[in-house]
Amino acid sequence: MRLPRLFRTTPFRLTLLFLALFAAAASAFLAYIYLATAGEAQRRTDQNIIREMRSLVAAYDRAGVDAVNQSLIERAASERPFLYLLMKPDGTRISGSIAESPIDSTPGAPSRASFSVTDYDDEGRLVKHPARGVQEHLSGGEILFVGADISEDQAYVVKIVRALWGAGALVIVLGLAGGLLVSRNVSRSMGALNDVVAAVRNGDFDARASVRGARDEFDELSEGINDMLDRLQRSMAGHRHAGDAIAHDLRSPLTRLRARLESAYLDVEAGKGDAQEALAQALEDTDGVLKTFSAVLAIARLQAAGQAPDQVVFDPAELAADLADLYEPTCEDKGLEFGAELTRDLQVRGNREFLAQALANLLDNAIKYTPSGGAIMLRVRRRSSGEIEFSVTDTGPGVPDEDRARVVERFVRLENSRSEPGSGLGLSLVAAVAEAHGGRLELSEGPGKVGEMGPGLRVALILPRAPSAA
């Protein structure tokens, strides 16, 4: 027979384990209480018996056996809770409240013992009561026994133990009920999460876990699952968009490449045309296609990893200086003024290759869109917030305010850039690199319009400061 699902949940099993441990601990605790209470009651009874014995022995030492005999008669007739017996040296009873001693009077035998006394209850039935007694030989040879009925003490101890057992049973019942309640609530919460997982598994990527607002671990798990699904949905949408955009953006160069190859083939077959020139143009078109694919794969790699791999701490000025040495001749060839303002002895944590590629994209864009006679400035500095900033400023046409948010999206190219070769992935890659390093990309106006130049564009790649530099 299969148990209901509620009884097979982990919280319910943990509740049973806790209750079992509690029951074991409670049993040990109750056994300790019983032994301690019963032992204390027995010690107190023995002390009272010994005190009574000392009182009678003192009377014997003062006035002899007759005084003890008289005292026993008086005490037996009173309401004292003791049992008395005075015997001759041969064990013959002289006086007392019991007929014979329950303790062996042989010399060397134990002088203290537990025993039972018989009595009649209120209904006339013969019952036995537990008792404790002490026996002592007097100086004249007589034997004196003093005992006490301990049934009331034992009954009191039994009542205490029964009350504790009842409390323990009540706690176990309440704990079991609480375990069922907790298990039901946990099962309900986990069931809702499982429903979301099942919906996503069946293709419903809009399903989300509900957040109750309790700020507990289930809310944290729900928020984590929702964030994961949001990222997954964005990633899948990005991949779909990238696929569609690649298919759309590569259609023209691939069609152009095929047309050129076909034209070159026909010309060569007809004995006219330059096959070498056609192949060179085809190689150039092929390089453009491969460059587009490489940029898309780089962006996908960064977004899939969530953060840039192989990060190290280094001086950003050294990286910028290497790029400045590489691009300064290119700027001179195009008639552009190039400058670099690099703050040394800074530290940033990141992947050098990805950051170098991002800065190279920014410099490529600046060189591509800045007319001859313009200027480009590469800067590395520390912001007042402690962040590290790479920036490239040019005196080109710039980017209008309304287009700065979308210009970093994949395959977005503004109208004034249609005449230049490119795939619209340069700033997308830079933005992906910034996000993968926990930073951001900021676009703002350049130095302003000067004559026919401007207003220019300033692109800043801002990274958090390295932990060691905090």
Side-chain angles (χ1 to χ4, degrees), residues 31-248:
Y32 170 76
I33 289 180
Y34 174 78
L35 293 176
T37 306
E40 179 61 26
Q42 180 176 308
R43 284 191 297 270
R44 186 180 59 192
T45 300
D46 289 347
Q47 290 174 356
N48 292 335
I49 293 173
I50 292 174
R51 189 179 301 110
E52 187 73 7
M53 174 67 78
R54 294 288 175 262
S55 175
L56 294 173
V57 170
Y60 177 85
D61 292 339
R62 285 196 309 270
V65 68
D66 292 336
V68 174
N69 188 29
Q70 181 64 31
S71 180
L72 288 182
I73 294 173
E74 294 174 355
R75 297 187 182 194
S78 66
E79 296 182 357
R80 288 175 175 264
F82 294 103
L83 304 172
Y84 303 100
L85 179 61
L86 179 62
M87 298 174 288
K88 296 179 180 180
D90 59 359
T92 305
R93 179 177 181 277
I94 300 177
S95 63
S97 57
I98 59 177
E100 60 182 9
S101 173
I103 301 177
D104 187 3
S105 59
T106 303
S111 61
R112 186 177 303 177
S114 298
F115 59 96
S116 298
V117 294
T118 56
D119 195 4
Y120 293 93
D121 59 11
D122 296 338
E123 298 179 359
R125 293 176 300 187
L126 188 65
V127 294
K128 290 185 177 182
H129 297 289
R132 294 276 297 171
V134 174
Q135 186 168 277
E136 188 170 330
H137 291 264
L138 303 177
S139 58
E142 294 83 357
I143 303 173
L144 178 61
F145 170 83
V146 178
D149 188 340
I150 60 172
S151 58
E152 292 185 0
D153 290 342
Q154 288 195 353
Y156 178 71
V157 172
V158 170
K159 287 181 179 179
I160 292 177
V161 173
R162 286 178 178 174
L164 292 175
W165 273 116
L170 180 62
V171 169
I172 291 177
V173 172
L174 293 177
L176 186 60
L180 290 173
L181 180 62
V182 171
S183 299
R184 187 183 65 177
N185 292 335
V186 172
S187 298
R188 185 181 303 164
S189 299
M190 293 304 297
L193 295 177
N194 288 331
D195 292 341
V196 173
V197 174
V200 173
R201 186 186 297 129
N202 293 328
D204 182 10
F205 291 98
D206 292 326
R208 294 295 183 270
S210 60
V211 180
R212 302 172 299 169
R215 308 308 303 168
D216 55 5
E217 59 273 12
F218 288 108
D219 276 358
E220 292 179 1
L221 180 59
S222 298
E223 291 173 353
I225 290 177
N226 291 342
D227 182 66
M228 178 189 66
L229 292 176
D230 289 340
R231 289 174 178 266
L232 178 62
Q233 194 171 35
R234 288 196 301 269
S235 177
M236 294 183 64
H239 288 159
R240 285 195 298 268
H241 173 72
D244 295 342
I246 288 175
H248 179 272

Side-chain angles (χ1 to χ4, degrees), residues 320-334:
D322 293 339
L323 289 171
D325 293 339
L326 180 64
Y327 279 88
E328 186 173 7
T330 305
C331 291
E332 292 177 354
D333 293 342
K334 191 177 178 182

Side-chain angles (χ1 to χ4, degrees), residues 1 12 18 21 43 56 95 118 125 194 268 270 295 298-299 332 344 347 366 391 413 431 463:
M1 179 179 178
F12 184 75
F18 171 76
L21 294 176
R43 284 191 297 270
L56 294 173
S95 63
T118 56
R125 293 176 300 187
N194 288 331
V268 171
I299 295 174
E332 292 177 354
R344 301 283 179 172
Q347 283 189 326
S391 67
R413 303 189 67 195
L463 302 178

Side-chain angles (χ1 to χ4, degrees), residues 354-365:
F354 280 122
L355 290 175
Q357 180 63 51
L359 289 178
N361 283 9
L362 296 182
L363 290 170
D364 282 337
N365 282 346

